[in-house]
Amino acid sequence: MCGRFTLYSSATAIEQETGVEIPDISPNYNVAPTQFVLTIASNQEQTKAGFLKWGLVPSWSKDPSVGHKMINARAETVDEKPSFKKLLERRRCLVVADSFYEWKKEGKEKQPYRIMLNEEQIFTFAGLWDRWEGEEETITSCTIITTEANELMQDLHHRMPVIIPKNRREAWLHPNTSKTEVKAMLEPFESGQMTAYPVSRDVNSPKNNTPELLEKH
C-alpha cells in the first residue's frame, strides 16, 4: 500500500522535472491521508497542477467520509471496481512525491523505512481523481494506485505504489490513451533504480513533520 510520503522539493525543482507550472508549496516530510497533495492532471487542451484531498470520495457517494478508506486502489482490479473503473478511463492524474514510507514488521513492532529513487529525484505516483458535490461543500479528491512489490520492496511489504516513469507521464495523463496502454503502466517500478533505509518511528505520527524524519536510523 501507500499510506505516507514526502514532498519537500521546491516548486522550481518540480517544474523543471515535470514541465508544468507549480503553485506555491510548503515542504511536507510526512504527507498523510486526508491532507491535500500536489497532483497533475490533463485534458485535451492543457495540463495543470493543483491540490487534491488524498482519499477518494466518488462523485456518487452518499457519505464523504468514505475517503478515509480509499487512499489506495489496487492495480489488479482498478478497471473493475465501481469506484475506480470510469476514473481509470477519464480521470487519471499524477501525484508528485520525492520519497515514500513503508513499515516492515520486525517481531511485534514495525520499523518505518524511507524509499526513494537512487538519485533522490522527484517522481510521480499513478493516481485517479473525482469530484464530489454536496449541499454545502465540494470535495475534489484522489487515490494512489498500488501494485505488487518489486524485489526491493518485497522485504518491506507485499504492495507498493505505482510510479509512472518520466517517459510515460504524458501518455498516462492523455485522455485518448487506450485502456491497454494504461493497464500496461500499472507495473512495479524497476527495483534497481530505488533505495530504502530505516528511519525514526517519529514518522508514525502525522503530527511530526520535520527534516529529521528523513535521517537514517
Side-chain angles (χ1 to χ4, degrees):
M1 63 175 295
C2 179
R4 213 71 66 78
F5 64 92
T6 72
L7 185 59
Y8 54 85
S9 299
S10 68
T12 299
I14 299 171
E15 287 179 1
Q16 292 175 343
E17 171 63 26
T18 63
V20 179
E21 185 177 352
I22 302 298
D24 291 338
I25 184 170
S26 299
N28 194 334
Y29 303 94
N30 200 359
V31 183
T34 74
Q35 294 181 7
F36 284 86
V37 297
L38 181 66
T39 59
I40 298 172
S42 182
N43 54 33
Q44 293 181 329
E45 298 178 354
Q46 60 182 335
T47 299
K48 295 180 64 177
F51 296 97
L52 301 181
K53 190 173 184 178
W54 184 16
L56 188 78
V57 181
S59 59
W60 45 264
S61 177
K62 295 181 179 180
D63 183 2
S65 67
V66 70
H68 294 273
K69 302 177 181 179
M70 300 181 70
I71 64 171
N72 291 155
R74 292 176 64 90
E76 296 86 347
T77 57
V78 70
D79 60 341
E80 302 170 4
K81 299 293 185 180
S83 299
F84 308 127
K85 184 177 180 179
K86 291 185 178 180
L87 303 184
L88 188 67
E89 297 174 0
R90 57 186 175 85
R91 286 189 168 177
R92 298 184 296 275
C93 65
L94 296 168
V95 180
V96 185
D98 37 34
S99 67
F100 63 98
Y101 299 108
E102 191 53 81
W103 282 256
K104 178 182 179 180
K105 190 172 183 179
E106 297 182 348
K108 295 183 179 180
E109 297 186 346
K110 290 185 177 181
Q111 171 62 51
Y113 278 73
R114 181 186 178 216
I115 303 98
M116 57 190 171
L117 301 192
N118 287 339
E119 303 301 322
E120 296 194 44
Q121 305 104 307
I122 296 163
F123 56 87
T124 50
F125 297 128
L128 304 173
W129 70 275
D130 207 350
R131 181 179 294 111
W132 179 88
E133 296 185 1
E135 294 182 0
E136 299 181 356
E137 65 175 335
T138 297
I139 301 174
T140 308
S141 58
C142 65
T143 188
I144 294 173
I145 302 176
T146 66
T147 187
E148 60 184 14
N150 62 20
E151 187 175 355
L152 173 77
M153 289 295 299
Q154 284 174 359
D155 187 49
L156 307 178
H157 197 275
H158 66 285
R159 305 289 297 176
M160 69 177 291
V162 173
I163 296 174
I164 301 295
K166 189 172 185 176
N167 63 355
R168 289 185 172 184
R169 289 174 190 159
E170 184 175 354
W172 173 259
L173 293 176
H174 201 286
N176 292 336
T177 300
S178 70
K179 180 180 177 180
T180 300
E181 291 179 273
V182 168
K183 285 285 287 183
M185 297 184 207
L186 302 181
E187 58 185 11
F189 197 76
E190 173 58 49
S191 60
Q193 299 182 43
M194 302 175 70
T195 188
Y197 61 81
V199 295
S200 169
R201 287 187 172 85
D202 287 346
V203 76
N204 292 353
S205 172
K207 294 180 180 180
N208 297 322
N209 193 340
T210 64
E212 287 72 29
L213 296 179
L214 307 180
E215 296 176 359
K216 187 174 182 178
H217 275 242

